[in-house]
Amino acid sequence: MSEAYVVHRIIRRIASWAVISFFTEIHVIGSENVPRDGPIIVTATHHNMMLDPAILSCAFPYKRVLHYWAKASLFANPVMKYVLTSAGNIPVDRKASDKQLLFRGTFRTLAAGEAVALFPEGTSYTEPHIMQVKDGAAWAALEYTKWAAQNPDKVKKGAESVMIIPAAIVYTNKSKYRSQAIMEFGQPIRMDEFTEQFMSEKEGAPRAAVKRLTAAIERELTQLTINAPDWDTLYAARMARDLLWPEERSINLDDFVAISQTLVDLFSTPDLVPNMNAIKRHLLTYYSLLESTHLTNAVLSSLPLPATLDPRQPVPLPSRLFTLILLIRDTLALVIRLPFSIVPLVIHAPAYVMGRVGARLVEDEEETQAQNKVVFGLLLLLMIYPAAFFAVWAFLRYTPVGAVVAVGFVFLFALYHNKLINDNYER
């Protein structure tokens, strides 16, 4: 039954619930670069230990099963072996010096025309740019090409050659609830231009081919991501982007990476325009003030300030009557919406509280904050929704029809909650 990857599909479904509960959208770009079938090695960026594989597996085109590497020692126990295999994991003996032995499980998967997913940067990280790409993906691809040529009888028809598919996962705001994630697939990298050198008997030729392929993977991933030389440059570019596009979702996600990288490049070139260093310094000051006050530029931009406001000229404060009118208007608007929102907010309150607790455990690690919010919130939701189902079913006297109605009610209730949050979260 492991061939059906039952565990993988269950984990992918749970992961999709978790991802959807945190992000408003997983925006996929370049899905046309991913073949519907045939052997591929997906090389993805790795900013977040748990969210990256969850997003990659949940939103991967054509719902292809992705096989990840796992330590071979974990497969020693028969029960654990079944679970890991059914989850789509591939045993890798990292102590093996023979590459053919090291990638044996990978070869078997690729020879069946399936997809392998790797994070070639190694461990997850918190840096303003991608880390140096390691050679593992390149070795696996070229060694498979060699093995397939030597063992044509063990390879499924059409699986003789493998392609590498670069994948970049970018977050519009890494730790923010109801933000967005972008997954972009680059141009496929074929083995044709590397195979001859890799097969050569010349000393050092195989390793040189691997290095060239690794460099090609790194170039693609760099083009698909936002890369800054330091944190100050990245924060200045982020602040400039928020000022130019004050509304949270006013940037077309197809252009988000290109716009962000253009601003990074601008602030990485201080001599490009006069006073660039001063501009960068002011942006960083504003960014620090927003962070320390837990505000966003989008919130400040939404305030009813005069269009002619000039920081160098005094502006009289609004009258008490005008302030009172604004307070009454906003209060009435909230009171009108309150009956429609209080029940879902109260029911989901434990998940919000636990998500906040999880984020506070790692306040200095931006990527891990989102991960903890998702995990802690999901654990509570896995208790809240079943409890809501049984409560509704009990109200309907545990009838078969009542069970169907209860499932539909909980599903619609979850959708309504997400829409409610999406429409009012920034207000």
Side-chain angles (χ1 to χ4, degrees), residues 9 14 75 88 94 107 111-113 116 219 344-345 347 352 360 388:
R9 297 179 196 280
I14 295 173
F75 290 76
R94 299 181 184 275
F107 294 168
V116 174
R219 280 195 302 272
L345 291 180
I347 290 177
Y352 291 136
R360 286 182 175 176

Side-chain angles (χ1 to χ4, degrees), residues 14 24 33 54 58 108 129 141 195 198 215-216 287 355 372 375 398 408 418:
I14 295 173
T24 59
N33 293 326
C58 294
R108 189 161 51 244
H129 48 76
T195 303
F198 186 77
Y287 179 86
N372 282 13
V375 173
Y398 295 111
N418 279 355

Side-chain angles (χ1 to χ4, degrees), residues 24-38:
T24 59
E25 179 185 2
I26 308 300
H27 187 72
V28 179
I29 306 172
S31 57
E32 67 277 4
N33 293 326
V34 179
R36 186 179 292 272
D37 48 40

